[in-house]
Amino acid sequence: QKEVEQNSGPLSVPEGAIASLNCTYSDRVSQSFFWYRQYSGKSPELIMSIYSNGDKEDGRFTAQLNKASQYVSLLIRDSQPSDSATYLCAVNLGGGYNKLIFGAGTRLAVHP
Amino acid sequence: DTAVSQTPKYLVTQMGNDKSIKCEQNLGHDTMYWYKQDSKKFLKIMFSYNNKELIINETVPNRFSPKSPDKAHLNLHINSLELGDSAVYFCASSRVTGAAQETQYFGPGTRLLVL
């Protein structure tokens, strides 16, 4: 069983719409959760991090965490063509070594 | 003002050769990592060093040997390269280890192609 699962997509949304990206994880001891954005041919860059149940908002981005359901999501409001990228969900299991487990990523395509 | 840098950016080589990739960070971080991203874009950790000490050593062929001369540098040496080693190798760093909320910052990647 994969430890971090994401729908590979592509998720296609029109410009201005809300894009909803989902991620589930298998290990209940997971402590912190990260969303990275990766443009084609580039390195991953951090978009959001979340550690507690509930919502966390930063500009057009909202991360949502539900530890009971082992589910974390990223909402992108007012999607722009520049948001087109692969979004990687990463989970830190804790345990002292800061080890991140990544999902395979969801490709988002925002069309004008 | 590059935070995490890697050299070379591209590496094309023949099977059986030995090659090295270098990584440097100027963020003052204590912990550095090597990740491999395969053709399906799956990013997987290989090694982590905290202040020159190896702390994460995933199931990786022993042809891969990391070395950290100081906490700002982490190198990866690969012996007897195989076709399956073709991938993008990312270096990353974070402030400390042991803190689950620490963000990891990635370098630009080294694209390795083994022919």
Side-chain angles (χ1 to χ4, degrees):
Chain A
Q1 181 184 2
K2 290 183 182 176
E3 296 180 69
V4 180
E5 293 209 40
Q6 296 181 254
N7 188 325
S8 61
L11 173 65
S12 183
V13 300
E15 185 174 356
I18 296 175
S20 178
L21 304 160
N22 304 315
C23 173
T24 58
Y25 60 94
S26 59
D27 199 322
R28 287 195 171 273
V29 302
S30 300
Q31 295 190 3
S32 51
F33 308 85
F34 303 84
W35 283 100
Y36 283 84
R37 178 176 63 198
Q38 187 174 26
Y39 292 113
S40 181
K42 300 295 185 182
S43 59
E45 58 175 326
L46 184 71
I47 297 296
M48 291 283 288
S49 58
I50 187 166
Y51 319 119
S52 305
N53 279 327
D55 295 359
K56 179 181 177 183
E57 187 175 318
D58 184 1
R60 295 187 297 114
F61 299 95
T62 298
Q64 299 174 317
L65 175 60
N66 184 327
K67 288 189 176 182
S69 300
Q70 295 176 240
Y71 176 91
V72 57
S73 65
L74 179 70
L75 300 178
I76 307 175
R77 287 181 299 282
D78 188 24
S79 295
Q80 301 297 309
S82 59
D83 294 326
S84 298
T86 296
Y87 289 79
L88 304 172
C89 173
V91 172
N92 189 323
L93 301 179
Y97 297 116
N98 207 15
K99 178 178 172 181
L100 285 185
I101 306 298
F102 281 84
T106 297
R107 192 157 58 90
L108 172 67
V110 181
H111 53 86
Chain B
D1 289 52
T2 305
V4 183
S5 58
Q6 294 179 231
T7 54
K9 192 171 182 180
Y10 299 97
L11 190 50
V12 181
T13 188
Q14 299 288 329
M15 266 197 320
N17 283 350
D18 303 339
K19 290 293 179 186
S20 292
I21 306 171
K22 295 187 175 183
C23 178
E24 177 181 1
Q25 55 93 4
N26 62 6
L27 297 168
H29 289 170
D30 287 331
T31 309
M32 297 183 72
Y33 312 81
W34 278 115
Y35 285 86
K36 178 181 180 181
Q37 189 169 44
D38 60 24
S39 58
K40 295 183 178 179
K41 306 301 182 187
F42 189 55
L43 191 62
K44 189 169 183 181
I45 190 164
M46 301 171 69
F47 303 103
S48 175
Y49 271 77
N50 181 61
N51 201 11
K52 302 192 294 178
E53 178 186 354
L54 181 65
I55 56 171
I56 295 177
N57 186 358
E58 293 293 292
T59 305
V60 173
N62 58 15
R63 298 181 294 104
F64 290 79
S65 52
K67 278 191 174 55
S68 181
D70 56 64
K71 72 174 190 178
H73 295 85
L74 180 61
N75 303 324
L76 183 65
H77 187 76
I78 316 170
N79 288 326
S80 303
L81 278 155
E82 300 178 357
L83 294 176
D85 297 331
S86 296
V88 181
Y89 292 85
F90 286 103
C91 177
S93 72
S94 67
R95 230 164 24 117
V96 296
T97 193
Q101 300 177 0
E102 283 298 326
T103 298
Q104 294 184 20
Y105 297 88
F106 285 80
T110 295
R111 285 146 186 83
L112 171 65
L113 178 60
V114 182
L115 301 174

